[in-house]
Amino acid sequence: SAVISQKPSRDICQRGTSLTIQCQVDSQVTMMFWYRQQPGQSLTLIATANQGSEATYESGFVIDKFPISRPNLTFSTLTVSNMSPEDSSIYLCSVERGRQNTEAFFGQGTRLTVV
Amino acid sequence: DAKTTQPNSMESNEEEPVHLPCNHSTISGTDYIHWYRQLPSQGPEYVIHGLTSNVNNRMASLAIAEDRKSSTLILHRATLRDAAVYYCILRDVGGSNYKLTFGKGTLLTVNP
């Protein structure tokens, strides 16, 4: 298993500001992902956080809006930049130990409200 | 990407079995069938996965049709804690479809 700590668990932010969300795993993992879950909706993959290189973004998500860092195999950050009310969502970190059909583990999420 | 179809919602009574269906008529030979569930105010958690044969674990059973175009997640004795959104996801970890793509899922309500 993998224990994931996400910080902050929730925040209320002013529009136009930025928030950085941290994801810390208790052991080294190969894959780290960031998801967004808008109110009442399912999860949407934002990007794959790659260690030592730029993240791989899904269609509709760009680095300028959601810069991601992954300095090592246990830690990643997602920044939500220049926020607007439409960014109000739950942001979740997910990890996997490898690509060989492994189980994904999810953090509890960060509930972001932009006012 | 291969897609899945699930009922929007289902209801069950506590201590009764629950059968959650999933259709995936365009499944490819290398797609695994994964199930995750999301309890209220929590991140998703893994339930079970399989390729062709039926699978059992401590949480549930997965019954896969012989043609693999459908599958059923079976909770043998539903508890109130099983109330969650259940997601059926196809995943080809050897190819480009290795990422978890969540659909709308099935909202399971468990009545006491």
Side-chain angles (χ1 to χ4, degrees):
Chain A
S1 67
V3 178
I4 301 171
S5 172
Q6 245 187 270
K7 293 180 181 179
S9 59
R10 58 177 62 226
D11 207 342
I12 301 174
C13 300
Q14 297 291 321
R15 68 177 67 201
T17 63
S18 297
L19 176 72
T20 295
I21 302 167
Q22 298 180 359
C23 177
Q24 178 74 55
V25 192
D26 66 340
S27 57
Q28 293 185 348
V29 293
T30 303
M31 314 286 283
M32 293 186 80
F33 304 92
W34 286 98
Y35 288 82
R36 180 177 73 182
Q37 188 168 29
Q38 295 176 298
Q41 303 296 313
S42 184
L43 285 79
T44 301
L45 181 63
I46 297 172
T48 302
N50 301 308
Q51 194 237 339
S53 64
E54 195 171 284
T56 304
Y57 290 85
E58 298 300 306
S59 176
F61 297 95
V62 295
I63 187 171
D64 290 346
K65 177 66 176 176
F66 298 101
I68 288 171
S69 79
R70 189 176 172 195
N72 56 51
L73 294 177
T74 63
F75 186 78
S76 178
T77 66
L78 168 74
T79 299
V80 186
S81 302
N82 188 25
M83 288 183 285
S84 67
E86 291 70 37
D87 294 320
S88 297
S89 294
I90 299 172
Y91 293 86
L92 298 113
C93 170
S94 171
V95 305
E96 294 185 42
R97 300 211 177 279
R99 280 187 63 167
Q100 296 307 310
N101 213 24
T102 55
E103 171 183 350
F105 301 93
F106 287 80
Q108 295 284 61
T110 296
R111 183 180 294 273
L112 170 63
T113 302
V114 183
V115 297
Chain B
D1 289 348
K3 297 282 189 263
T4 63
T5 304
Q6 299 177 252
N8 290 332
S9 63
M10 290 185 66
E11 205 166 318
S12 173
N13 296 320
E14 201 174 7
E15 298 188 6
E16 291 184 355
V18 181
H19 290 234
L20 296 162
C22 181
N23 288 320
H24 28 78
S25 58
T26 60
I27 191 170
S28 74
T30 53
D31 281 332
Y32 282 76
I33 303 157
H34 286 245
W35 284 82
Y36 282 76
R37 72 179 185 180
Q38 187 173 23
L39 303 172
S41 301
Q42 294 191 27
E45 65 175 349
Y46 168 83
V47 178
I48 200 167
H49 77 275
L51 182 62
T52 56
S53 303
N54 294 344
V55 185
N56 301 296
N57 67 20
R58 64 175 179 81
M59 287 182 69
S61 295
L62 176 60
I64 301 172
E66 196 168 332
D67 63 4
R68 301 212 322 126
K69 294 186 176 182
S70 65
S71 60
T72 303
L73 179 70
I74 302 166
L75 307 179
H76 295 286
R77 247 174 118 241
T79 68
L80 296 178
R81 195 196 172 275
D82 291 321
V85 178
Y86 286 78
Y87 298 98
C88 170
I89 302 169
L90 298 183
R91 196 171 192 204
D92 177 6
V93 294
S96 61
N97 189 32
Y98 72 91
K99 292 169 281 190
L100 283 174
T101 301
F102 287 81
K104 296 184 186 301
T106 296
L107 174 63
L108 176 65
T109 301
V110 180
N111 300 313

